[in-house]
Amino acid sequence: YFDSSLAASINFNNCVFQSNQALAGQGGALLTSSGTFQLSSMLFQSNSANDGGSIAALSSTLNGSSIVITTSEANSRGG
């Protein structure tokens, strides 16, 4: 789990986020609340949250390539 409130710009490359949970919150694996994020060659698998099963992007910029999201679920918005 990564919360972006501590960083302005982050690059993730060749990462796997698997079986993460945000039980009462947002973004089971990645919650971005500010800043710019570059995601490349990523796998998000079996993550869950109330909103945004794998990723919740709030007031953020996400740029990405080669991203796979599988078997993630959310109770309301986004899987």
Side-chain angles (χ1 to χ4, degrees):
Y1 175 78
F2 180 81
D3 183 340
S4 72
S5 63
L6 303 176
S9 180
I10 298 288
N11 296 323
F12 287 105
N13 188 30
N14 295 319
C15 296
V16 175
F17 287 88
Q18 183 174 16
S19 301
N20 296 285
Q21 295 180 331
L23 297 176
Q26 300 171 317
L30 180 63
L31 169 61
T32 66
S33 57
S34 63
T36 300
F37 292 81
Q38 179 65 44
L39 309 175
S40 60
S41 300
M42 304 287 295
L43 172 62
F44 293 90
Q45 183 174 16
S46 302
N47 298 294
S48 62
N50 190 43
D51 291 321
S54 281
I55 301 171
L58 313 172
S59 301
S60 304
T61 300
L62 295 179
N63 300 307
S65 63
S66 301
I67 299 169
V68 176
I69 299 174
T70 66
T71 60
S72 296
E73 68 179 60
N75 293 329
S76 71
R77 296 174 287 199

